[in-house]
Coordinates of all heavy atoms in Angstrom, one line a residue:
M957 N -14.9 9.0 -6.1 CA -13.4 9.0 -6.2 C -13.0 7.9 -7.1 O -12.5 6.9 -6.6 CB -12.8 9.0 -4.8 CG -13.0 10.2 -4.0 SD -12.5 10.0 -2.3 CE -14.1 9.9 -1.6
P958 N -13.1 8.1 -8.4 CA -12.7 7.1 -9.3 C -11.3 6.6 -9.3 O -11.0 5.4 -9.5 CB -13.1 7.7 -10.7 CG -13.2 9.1 -10.4 CD -13.5 9.3 -9.0
E959 N -10.4 7.5 -8.9 CA -9.0 7.1 -8.9 C -8.7 6.1 -7.7 O -7.9 5.2 -7.8 CB -8.0 8.3 -8.8 CG -7.9 9.0 -10.2 CD -7.2 8.2 -11.2 OE1 -6.3 7.5 -11.0 OE2 -7.6 8.3 -12.4
L960 N -9.3 6.4 -6.6 CA -9.2 5.5 -5.4 C -9.8 4.2 -5.8 O -9.2 3.1 -5.5 CB -9.8 6.1 -4.2 CG -9.7 5.2 -2.9 CD1 -8.3 4.9 -2.6 CD2 -10.4 5.9 -1.8
Y961 N -10.9 4.2 -6.4 CA -11.6 2.9 -6.8 C -10.7 2.1 -7.7 O -10.5 0.9 -7.6 CB -12.9 3.2 -7.4 CG -13.7 2.0 -7.9 CD1 -14.3 1.2 -6.9 CD2 -13.7 1.6 -9.2 CE1 -15.0 0.1 -7.3 CE2 -14.3 0.4 -9.6 CZ -15.0 -0.3 -8.6 OH -15.7 -1.5 -9.0
K962 N -10.1 2.8 -8.7 CA -9.1 2.2 -9.6 C -8.0 1.6 -8.9 O -7.6 0.4 -9.2 CB -8.6 3.2 -10.7 CG -7.7 2.7 -11.7 CD -7.2 3.7 -12.7 CE -6.2 3.2 -13.6 NZ -5.8 4.2 -14.6
F963 N -7.4 2.3 -7.9 CA -6.3 1.7 -7.2 C -6.7 0.5 -6.4 O -6.1 -0.6 -6.5 CB -5.8 2.7 -6.2 CG -4.8 2.1 -5.2 CD1 -3.4 1.9 -5.6 CD2 -5.1 1.8 -3.9 CE1 -2.5 1.3 -4.8 CE2 -4.2 1.2 -3.1 CZ -2.9 1.0 -3.5
L964 N -7.9 0.5 -5.8 CA -8.4 -0.6 -5.0 C -8.7 -1.8 -5.9 O -8.4 -3.0 -5.6 CB -9.6 -0.2 -4.3 CG -9.4 0.7 -3.1 CD1 -10.8 1.2 -2.6 CD2 -8.6 0.2 -2.0
M965 N -9.2 -1.6 -7.1 CA -9.6 -2.7 -8.0 C -8.4 -3.3 -8.8 O -8.3 -4.5 -9.0 CB -10.6 -2.2 -9.0 CG -12.0 -1.9 -8.4 SD -12.8 -3.3 -7.6 CE -12.5 -3.0 -5.9
E966 N -7.4 -2.4 -9.1 CA -6.3 -2.9 -10.0 C -5.0 -3.1 -9.3 O -4.1 -3.8 -9.8 CB -6.1 -1.8 -11.1 CG -7.3 -1.7 -12.0 CD -7.2 -0.7 -13.1 OE1 -6.0 -0.2 -13.3 OE2 -8.2 -0.3 -13.7
H967 N -4.7 -2.4 -8.2 CA -3.4 -2.4 -7.6 C -3.3 -2.9 -6.2 O -2.3 -3.4 -5.7 CB -2.8 -1.0 -7.6 CG -2.7 -0.4 -9.0 ND1 -1.8 -0.8 -9.9 CD2 -3.5 0.5 -9.6 CE1 -2.0 -0.1 -11.0 NE2 -3.0 0.7 -10.9
W968 N -4.4 -2.8 -5.4 CA -4.4 -3.1 -4.0 C -3.8 -4.5 -3.7 O -3.0 -4.6 -2.8 CB -5.8 -3.0 -3.4 CG -5.9 -3.3 -2.0 CD1 -6.2 -4.5 -1.5 CD2 -5.7 -2.5 -0.9 NE1 -6.2 -4.5 -0.1 CE2 -5.9 -3.2 0.3 CE3 -5.3 -1.1 -0.8 CZ2 -5.7 -2.7 1.5 CZ3 -5.2 -0.6 0.5 CH2 -5.4 -1.3 1.6
A969 N -4.3 -5.5 -4.4 CA -3.9 -6.9 -4.1 C -2.4 -7.1 -4.4 O -1.9 -8.2 -4.0 CB -4.8 -7.8 -4.9
L970 N -1.8 -6.3 -5.1 CA -0.4 -6.5 -5.4 C 0.5 -6.1 -4.3 O 1.7 -6.6 -4.2 CB 0.0 -5.6 -6.7 CG -0.7 -6.0 -8.0 CD1 -0.3 -5.0 -9.1 CD2 -0.5 -7.4 -8.4
Y971 N 0.1 -5.2 -3.4 CA 0.9 -4.8 -2.3 C 0.7 -5.6 -1.0 O -0.4 -6.1 -0.7 CB 0.6 -3.3 -2.0 CG 1.1 -2.4 -3.0 CD1 0.3 -1.9 -4.0 CD2 2.4 -2.0 -2.9 CE1 0.9 -1.1 -5.0 CE2 3.0 -1.1 -3.9 CZ 2.2 -0.7 -4.9 OH 2.7 0.1 -5.9
H972 N 1.8 -5.8 -0.3 CA 1.8 -6.6 0.9 C 1.8 -5.6 2.1 O 2.3 -4.6 2.1 CB 3.0 -7.5 1.0 CG 3.1 -8.3 2.2 ND1 2.2 -9.2 2.5 CD2 4.0 -8.2 3.2 CE1 2.5 -9.8 3.7 NE2 3.6 -9.2 4.1
N973 N 1.1 -6.1 3.2 CA 1.0 -5.4 4.4 C 0.2 -4.1 4.4 O 0.5 -3.1 5.0 CB 2.4 -5.0 5.0 CG 2.9 -6.2 5.9 OD1 2.1 -7.1 6.2 ND2 4.1 -6.1 6.3
L974 N -0.9 -4.1 3.6 CA -1.9 -3.0 3.6 C -3.2 -3.6 4.1 O -3.5 -4.7 3.8 CB -2.1 -2.5 2.1 CG -1.0 -1.8 1.4 CD1 -1.4 -1.4 0.0 CD2 -0.5 -0.6 2.2
E975 N -3.9 -2.8 4.8 CA -5.2 -3.1 5.3 C -6.2 -2.1 4.8 O -5.8 -0.9 4.7 CB -5.3 -3.2 6.8 CG -4.5 -4.3 7.4 CD -4.6 -4.4 8.9 OE1 -5.5 -3.8 9.5 OE2 -3.7 -5.0 9.5
Y976 N -7.4 -2.5 4.5 CA -8.4 -1.5 4.0 C -9.6 -1.5 4.9 O -10.1 -2.6 5.3 CB -8.9 -1.9 2.6 CG -9.9 -1.0 2.0 CD1 -9.7 0.3 1.7 CD2 -11.2 -1.5 1.8 CE1 -10.6 1.1 1.2 CE2 -12.2 -0.7 1.3 CZ -11.9 0.6 1.0 OH -12.9 1.4 0.5
D977 N -10.1 -0.3 5.3 CA -11.3 -0.2 6.1 C -12.3 0.6 5.2 O -12.0 1.7 4.8 CB -11.0 0.7 7.3 CG -12.2 0.9 8.2 OD1 -13.3 0.5 7.8 OD2 -12.0 1.5 9.3
S978 N -13.4 -0.1 4.9 CA -14.3 0.5 3.9 C -15.4 1.4 4.7 O -16.5 1.5 4.2 CB -15.0 -0.6 3.2 OG -15.7 -1.4 4.0
G979 N -15.0 2.0 5.7 CA -15.9 2.9 6.5 C -16.5 4.0 5.6 O -16.1 4.1 4.4
E980 N -17.3 4.7 6.2 CA -18.0 5.8 5.4 C -17.3 7.1 5.3 O -17.8 8.1 5.1 CB -19.4 6.0 6.1 CG -20.3 4.8 6.1 CD -20.7 4.4 4.7 OE1 -21.0 5.3 3.8 OE2 -20.8 3.2 4.4
D981 N -16.0 7.0 5.5 CA -15.2 8.2 5.5 C -15.2 8.9 4.2 O -14.9 8.3 3.1 CB -13.7 7.9 5.9 CG -12.9 9.1 6.2 OD1 -13.3 10.2 6.1 OD2 -11.8 8.9 6.7
K982 N -15.6 10.2 4.1 CA -15.6 11.0 2.9 C -14.2 11.5 2.5 O -14.0 12.0 1.4 CB -16.6 12.1 3.0 CG -18.0 11.7 3.3 CD -18.7 11.2 2.1 CE -20.2 11.0 2.4 NZ -20.7 9.8 2.0
N983 N -13.3 11.4 3.4 CA -11.9 11.8 3.2 C -10.9 10.7 3.4 O -10.3 10.6 4.4 CB -11.5 13.0 4.1 CG -12.4 14.2 3.9 OD1 -12.5 14.7 2.8 ND2 -13.1 14.7 4.9
P984 N -10.8 9.8 2.4 CA -10.0 8.6 2.5 C -8.5 9.0 2.7 O -8.1 10.0 2.2 CB -10.2 7.8 1.3 CG -10.7 8.8 0.3 CD -11.4 9.9 1.1
H985 N -7.8 8.2 3.4 CA -6.4 8.5 3.7 C -5.6 7.2 4.0 O -6.2 6.2 4.3 CB -6.2 9.5 4.8 CG -7.0 9.1 6.0 ND1 -8.3 9.4 6.2 CD2 -6.7 8.4 7.1 CE1 -8.8 9.0 7.3 NE2 -7.8 8.4 7.9
L986 N -4.3 7.2 3.8 CA -3.5 6.1 4.2 C -2.9 6.5 5.5 O -2.5 7.6 5.8 CB -2.3 6.0 3.2 CG -2.6 5.4 1.9 CD1 -1.3 5.4 1.0 CD2 -3.0 3.9 2.0
I987 N -2.9 5.5 6.4 CA -2.3 5.7 7.7 C -1.1 4.8 7.8 O -1.3 3.6 7.6 CB -3.3 5.5 8.9 CG1 -4.5 6.4 8.7 CG2 -2.6 5.7 10.2 CD1 -5.6 6.1 9.7
F988 N 0.1 5.3 8.1 CA 1.3 4.4 8.3 C 1.6 4.3 9.8 O 1.6 5.3 10.5 CB 2.4 5.1 7.5 CG 2.2 5.2 6.0 CD1 1.7 6.4 5.5 CD2 2.4 4.1 5.2 CE1 1.5 6.5 4.1 CE2 2.2 4.2 3.9 CZ 1.7 5.4 3.3
Y989 N 1.9 3.1 10.1 CA 2.2 2.8 11.5 C 3.6 2.2 11.6 O 4.1 1.6 10.7 CB 1.3 1.7 12.0 CG -0.2 2.1 12.1 CD1 -1.0 1.9 11.0 CD2 -0.7 2.7 13.2 CE1 -2.3 2.3 11.0 CE2 -2.0 3.1 13.3 CZ -2.9 2.9 12.2 OH -4.2 3.2 12.2
N990 N 4.2 2.4 12.8 CA 5.6 1.8 13.0 C 5.4 0.5 13.6 O 4.2 0.0 13.8 CB 6.4 2.8 13.9 CG 5.9 3.0 15.3 OD1 5.0 2.3 15.7 ND2 6.4 4.0 15.9
D991 N 6.5 -0.2 14.0 CA 6.4 -1.5 14.5 C 5.8 -1.6 15.9 O 5.5 -2.7 16.4 CB 7.8 -2.2 14.6 CG 8.8 -1.4 15.4 OD1 8.5 -0.3 15.8 OD2 9.8 -2.0 15.7
K992 N 5.5 -0.4 16.5 CA 4.8 -0.4 17.8 C 3.3 0.0 17.7 O 2.7 0.3 18.6 CB 5.5 0.6 18.7 CG 6.9 0.2 19.0 CD 7.6 1.3 19.8 CE 9.1 1.0 20.0 NZ 9.9 2.1 20.4
D993 N 2.8 -0.1 16.4 CA 1.4 0.3 16.1 C 1.1 1.8 16.4 O 0.0 2.1 16.7 CB 0.5 -0.6 16.8 CG 0.0 -1.7 16.0 OD1 0.3 -1.7 14.8 OD2 -0.8 -2.6 16.5
E994 N 2.1 2.6 16.3 CA 1.9 4.1 16.5 C 1.8 4.7 15.2 O 2.6 4.4 14.3 CB 3.1 4.7 17.3 CG 3.3 4.0 18.6 CD 4.7 4.4 19.2 OE1 5.6 4.6 18.5 OE2 4.8 4.5 20.5
E995 N 0.8 5.6 15.0 CA 0.7 6.4 13.7 C 1.9 7.2 13.5 O 2.3 8.0 14.4 CB -0.5 7.3 13.8 CG -1.8 6.5 13.6 CD -3.0 7.5 13.6 OE1 -2.8 8.7 13.3 OE2 -4.1 7.0 13.8
V996 N 2.5 7.1 12.4 CA 3.7 8.0 12.1 C 3.5 8.9 10.9 O 4.2 9.9 10.8 CB 5.0 7.1 11.8 CG1 5.4 6.4 13.1 CG2 4.8 6.2 10.7
K997 N 2.4 8.6 10.1 CA 2.2 9.5 8.9 C 0.8 9.2 8.4 O 0.3 8.1 8.4 CB 3.2 9.2 7.8 CG 3.1 10.1 6.6 CD 4.3 9.8 5.7 CE 4.3 10.8 4.6 NZ 5.4 10.7 3.7
I998 N 0.1 10.3 8.0 CA -1.2 10.2 7.4 C -1.2 10.9 6.1 O -0.7 12.1 6.0 CB -2.3 10.8 8.3 CG1 -2.4 10.0 9.6 CG2 -3.7 10.8 7.6 CD1 -3.4 10.6 10.6
V999 N -1.6 10.3 5.0 CA -1.6 10.9 3.7 C -3.0 10.9 3.1 O -3.6 9.8 2.9 CB -0.7 10.1 2.7 CG1 -0.7 10.6 1.3 CG2 0.7 10.0 3.3
P1000 N -3.6 12.1 2.9 CA -4.9 12.1 2.2 C -4.9 11.6 0.8 O -3.9 11.9 0.1 CB -5.3 13.6 2.3 CG -4.1 14.3 2.8 CD -3.0 13.4 3.1
L1001 N -5.9 10.8 0.4 CA -5.9 10.2 -0.9 C -6.9 10.9 -1.9 O -6.9 10.6 -3.1 CB -6.3 8.8 -0.8 CG -5.4 7.9 0.0 CD1 -5.9 6.5 0.1 CD2 -4.0 7.9 -0.7
K1002 N -7.8 11.8 -1.4 CA -8.9 12.3 -2.2 C -8.4 12.8 -3.5 O -9.1 12.6 -4.5 CB -9.6 13.4 -1.4 CG -10.9 13.7 -2.0 CD -11.7 14.6 -1.1 CE -13.1 14.8 -1.6 NZ -13.9 15.6 -0.7
K1003 N -7.3 13.5 -3.6 CA -6.8 14.1 -4.9 C -5.8 13.4 -5.6 O -5.3 13.8 -6.6 CB -6.4 15.6 -4.6 CG -7.5 16.5 -4.1 CD -6.9 17.9 -3.8 CE -8.1 18.8 -3.3 NZ -7.6 20.1 -3.0
M1004 N -5.4 12.2 -5.1 CA -4.3 11.4 -5.7 C -4.8 10.5 -6.8 O -5.9 9.9 -6.6 CB -3.6 10.6 -4.6 CG -2.8 11.4 -3.6 SD -1.9 10.4 -2.4 CE -0.6 9.8 -3.4
K1005 N -4.0 10.3 -7.8 CA -4.4 9.4 -8.9 C -3.8 8.0 -8.4 O -3.0 7.9 -7.6 CB -3.7 9.8 -10.2 CG -4.2 11.1 -10.7 CD -3.8 11.4 -12.1 CE -4.3 12.7 -12.6 NZ -5.7 12.8 -12.7
A1006 N -4.4 7.0 -9.1 CA -4.0 5.6 -8.7 C -2.5 5.4 -8.8 O -1.8 4.8 -8.0 CB -4.7 4.6 -9.6
G1007 N -1.9 5.9 -9.9 CA -0.4 5.8 -10.1 C 0.4 6.5 -9.0 O 1.4 6.0 -8.6
E1008 N -0.2 7.6 -8.5 CA 0.5 8.3 -7.5 C 0.5 7.6 -6.2 O 1.5 7.6 -5.4 CB -0.1 9.7 -7.3 CG 0.1 10.6 -8.4 CD -0.7 11.9 -8.3 OE1 -1.8 11.9 -7.8 OE2 -0.2 13.0 -8.8
I1009 N -0.6 6.9 -5.9 CA -0.7 6.0 -4.7 C 0.4 4.9 -4.8 O 1.1 4.6 -3.8 CB -2.1 5.5 -4.5 CG1 -3.1 6.6 -4.3 CG2 -2.1 4.5 -3.3 CD1 -4.5 6.2 -4.3
C1010 N 0.4 4.3 -6.0 CA 1.4 3.2 -6.2 C 2.8 3.8 -6.0 O 3.7 3.1 -5.4 CB 1.3 2.6 -7.6 SG -0.2 1.7 -7.8
D1011 N 3.1 4.9 -6.6 CA 4.4 5.5 -6.5 C 4.8 5.8 -5.0 O 6.0 5.5 -4.6 CB 4.5 6.8 -7.3 CG 4.5 6.6 -8.8 OD1 4.7 5.4 -9.2 OD2 4.3 7.6 -9.5
L1012 N 3.8 6.2 -4.3 CA 4.1 6.5 -2.8 C 4.4 5.2 -2.1 O 5.4 5.2 -1.4 CB 2.9 7.2 -2.2 CG 2.9 7.4 -0.7 CD1 4.1 8.3 -0.3 CD2 1.6 7.9 -0.2
L1013 N 3.6 4.2 -2.3 CA 3.9 2.9 -1.6 C 5.2 2.3 -2.1 O 6.0 1.8 -1.2 CB 2.8 1.9 -1.9 CG 1.4 2.3 -1.3 CD1 0.3 1.4 -1.8 CD2 1.5 2.3 0.2
D1014 N 5.5 2.4 -3.4 CA 6.8 1.9 -3.9 C 8.0 2.7 -3.2 O 9.0 2.1 -2.8 CB 6.9 2.1 -5.4 CG 6.0 1.2 -6.1 OD1 5.4 0.2 -5.5 OD2 5.7 1.4 -7.3
S1015 N 7.9 4.0 -3.1 CA 8.9 4.8 -2.5 C 9.1 4.6 -1.1 O 10.2 4.8 -0.5 CB 8.6 6.3 -2.8 OG 7.6 6.8 -1.9
L1016 N 8.1 4.1 -0.4 CA 8.2 3.8 1.0 C 8.7 2.3 1.3 O 8.8 1.9 2.4 CB 6.9 4.0 1.7 CG 6.5 5.5 1.8 CD1 5.0 5.6 2.3 CD2 7.4 6.3 2.6
G1017 N 8.9 1.6 0.2 CA 9.4 0.2 0.3 C 8.4 -0.9 0.5 O 8.8 -2.0 0.9
F1018 N 7.1 -0.6 0.3 CA 6.2 -1.7 0.4 C 6.4 -2.8 -0.7 O 6.7 -2.4 -1.8 CB 4.7 -1.2 0.2 CG 4.2 -0.6 1.5 CD1 4.5 0.7 1.8 CD2 3.5 -1.3 2.4 CE1 4.1 1.3 3.0 CE2 3.0 -0.8 3.6 CZ 3.3 0.6 3.9
Y1019 N 6.4 -4.0 -0.3 CA 6.6 -5.1 -1.3 C 5.4 -5.2 -2.2 O 4.3 -5.1 -1.8 CB 6.7 -6.5 -0.5 CG 7.0 -7.6 -1.5 CD1 8.3 -7.8 -2.0 CD2 6.0 -8.4 -2.0 CE1 8.6 -8.8 -2.9 CE2 6.3 -9.4 -2.9 CZ 7.6 -9.6 -3.3 OH 7.8 -10.6 -4.3
K1020 N 5.8 -5.2 -3.5 CA 4.7 -5.3 -4.6 C 4.9 -6.6 -5.3 O 6.0 -6.8 -5.9 CB 4.9 -4.1 -5.5 CG 3.7 -4.0 -6.5 CD 3.9 -2.8 -7.4 CE 2.7 -2.7 -8.4 NZ 2.8 -1.5 -9.2
R1021 N 3.9 -7.4 -5.4 CA 3.9 -8.6 -6.1 C 3.9 -8.3 -7.6 O 3.4 -7.3 -8.0 CB 2.6 -9.5 -5.8 CG 2.6 -9.9 -4.3 CD 1.2 -10.5 -4.1 NE 1.0 -10.9 -2.7 CZ 0.5 -10.1 -1.7 NH1 0.1 -8.9 -2.0 NH2 0.3 -10.6 -0.5
S1022 N 4.4 -9.2 -8.4 CA 4.3 -9.0 -9.9 C 3.0 -9.4 -10.4 O 2.6 -8.9 -11.5 CB 5.4 -9.8 -10.6 OG 5.3 -11.2 -10.3
Q1023 N 2.2 -10.2 -9.7 CA 0.8 -10.5 -10.1 C 0.0 -10.9 -8.8 O 0.6 -11.3 -7.8 CB 0.8 -11.7 -11.1 CG 1.4 -13.0 -10.6 CD 1.4 -14.0 -11.7 OE1 0.9 -13.8 -12.7 NE2 2.1 -15.1 -11.4
K1024 N -1.3 -10.8 -8.9 CA -2.1 -11.1 -7.8 C -2.0 -12.6 -7.5 O -1.8 -13.4 -8.4 CB -3.6 -10.8 -8.2 CG -3.9 -9.4 -8.3 CD -5.3 -9.1 -8.7 CE -5.6 -7.6 -8.9 NZ -6.9 -7.3 -9.3
G1025 N -2.0 -12.9 -6.2 CA -1.9 -14.3 -5.7 C -0.4 -14.8 -5.6 O -0.2 -15.9 -5.0
E1026 N 0.5 -14.0 -6.0 CA 1.9 -14.4 -5.9 C 2.3 -14.5 -4.4 O 1.9 -13.6 -3.6 CB 2.8 -13.4 -6.6 CG 4.3 -13.7 -6.5 CD 5.1 -12.6 -7.1 OE1 5.4 -11.6 -6.5 OE2 5.5 -12.8 -8.3
E1027 N 3.0 -15.5 -4.0 CA 3.5 -15.6 -2.6 C 4.5 -14.5 -2.3 O 5.3 -14.1 -3.1 CB 4.2 -16.9 -2.4 CG 3.2 -18.1 -2.4 CD 2.2 -18.1 -1.3 OE1 2.6 -17.8 -0.1 OE2 1.0 -18.4 -1.5
V1028 N 4.5 -14.0 -1.1 CA 5.4 -13.0 -0.6 C 6.6 -13.7 0.0 O 6.4 -14.6 0.9 CB 4.8 -12.0 0.4 CG1 5.8 -11.1 1.0 CG2 3.6 -11.3 -0.2
P1029 N 7.8 -13.4 -0.4 CA 9.0 -14.1 0.2 C 9.0 -13.8 1.7 O 8.6 -12.7 2.2 CB 10.2 -13.4 -0.5 CG 9.6 -12.9 -1.8 CD 8.2 -12.5 -1.5
E1030 N 9.5 -14.8 2.5 CA 9.6 -14.7 3.9 C 10.2 -13.4 4.5 O 9.7 -12.8 5.4 CB 10.3 -15.9 4.5 CG 10.3 -16.0 6.0 CD 8.9 -16.3 6.6 OE1 8.1 -17.0 6.0 OE2 8.7 -15.8 7.7
E1031 N 11.3 -13.0 3.8 CA 12.0 -11.8 4.3 C 11.2 -10.5 4.2 O 11.5 -9.5 4.8 CB 13.4 -11.7 3.7 CG 13.3 -11.4 2.2 CD 13.4 -12.7 1.3 OE1 13.1 -13.8 1.8 OE2 13.8 -12.6 0.2
F1032 N 10.1 -10.6 3.4 CA 9.3 -9.4 3.2 C 7.9 -9.4 4.0 O 7.1 -8.5 3.9 CB 8.9 -9.2 1.8 CG 10.2 -8.9 0.9 CD1 10.7 -9.9 0.2 CD2 10.7 -7.7 0.9 CE1 11.8 -9.7 -0.6 CE2 11.8 -7.4 0.1 CZ 12.4 -8.5 -0.6
M1033 N 7.7 -10.5 4.8 CA 6.4 -10.7 5.4 C 6.0 -9.7 6.5 O 4.9 -9.3 6.6 CB 6.4 -12.1 6.1 CG 6.4 -13.2 5.0 SD 5.0 -13.2 3.9 CE 3.7 -13.6 5.0
N1034 N 7.0 -9.1 7.2 CA 6.6 -8.3 8.4 C 6.7 -6.8 8.2 O 6.3 -6.1 9.1 CB 7.4 -8.8 9.6 CG 7.1 -10.2 10.0 OD1 6.0 -10.6 10.0 ND2 8.1 -11.0 10.3
F1035 N 7.3 -6.4 7.1 CA 7.4 -4.9 7.0 C 7.7 -4.5 5.6 O 8.2 -5.3 4.8 CB 8.6 -4.4 8.0 CG 9.9 -5.1 7.7 CD1 10.8 -4.7 6.8 CD2 10.2 -6.3 8.4 CE1 12.0 -5.3 6.6 CE2 11.4 -7.0 8.2 CZ 12.3 -6.5 7.3
P1036 N 7.5 -3.2 5.3 CA 8.0 -2.7 4.0 C 9.5 -2.8 4.0 O 10.2 -2.5 5.0 CB 7.5 -1.3 4.0 CG 6.4 -1.2 5.0 CD 6.8 -2.2 6.0
L1037 N 10.1 -3.1 2.8 CA 11.5 -3.2 2.7 C 11.9 -2.8 1.3 O 11.3 -3.3 0.3 CB 12.0 -4.6 3.0 CG 13.4 -4.9 2.9 CD1 14.2 -4.2 4.0 CD2 13.7 -6.4 3.0
K1038 N 12.8 -1.9 1.1 CA 13.2 -1.5 -0.2 C 14.1 -2.5 -0.9 O 15.2 -2.8 -0.3 CB 13.9 -0.1 -0.2 CG 13.0 1.0 0.2 CD 13.6 2.3 0.2 CE 12.6 3.3 0.6 NZ 13.1 4.7 0.5
A1039 N 13.7 -3.1 -2.0 CA 14.5 -4.1 -2.7 C 14.0 -4.1 -4.1 O 12.8 -4.1 -4.3 CB 14.4 -5.4 -2.1
T1040 N 14.9 -4.2 -5.1 CA 14.4 -4.3 -6.5 C 14.1 -5.8 -6.8 O 14.6 -6.7 -6.1 CB 15.5 -3.8 -7.4 OG1 16.7 -4.7 -7.2 CG2 15.9 -2.4 -7.1
R1041 N 13.4 -6.0 -7.8 CA 13.1 -7.4 -8.2 C 14.3 -8.2 -8.5 O 14.4 -9.4 -8.2 CB 12.2 -7.4 -9.5 CG 10.8 -7.0 -9.2 CD 10.0 -8.2 -9.1 NE 8.7 -7.8 -8.6 CZ 7.9 -8.4 -7.8 NH1 8.4 -9.6 -7.3 NH2 6.8 -8.0 -7.4
D1042 N 15.4 -7.6 -9.0 CA 16.6 -8.3 -9.3 C 17.3 -8.9 -8.1 O 18.0 -9.8 -8.2 CB 17.6 -7.4 -10.1 CG 17.0 -7.0 -11.4 OD1 16.2 -7.7 -12.0 OD2 17.4 -5.9 -11.9
E1043 N 17.1 -8.2 -6.9 CA 17.7 -8.7 -5.7 C 16.9 -9.9 -5.1 O 17.5 -10.6 -4.3 CB 17.7 -7.6 -4.6 CG 18.6 -6.4 -5.0 CD 18.5 -5.3 -4.0 OE1 17.4 -5.1 -3.5 OE2 19.5 -4.6 -3.8
L1044 N 15.7 -10.2 -5.6 CA 15.0 -11.3 -5.1 C 15.5 -12.6 -5.8 O 15.4 -13.7 -5.5 CB 13.5 -11.2 -5.4 CG 12.9 -9.9 -4.8 CD1 11.4 -9.8 -5.2 CD2 13.0 -10.0 -3.3

């Protein structure tokens, strides 16, 4: 799955509040949890391109750093939140 690999190598570290499990699952997917740790949505990744994964995370309000290693502002630490860079 070259597109998933591309996402992991090029984009993963830019997003906040994502966890990765490198298990032997042949059908990778994103699992979204609410604040009570309950699964609320599962999205299969096998056919998604790296850009589509980024678009999905962006549309759901996950904080995206402008570069790897950038600090996450305090107000974004605990959850995805929709805000444009200009609002920061």
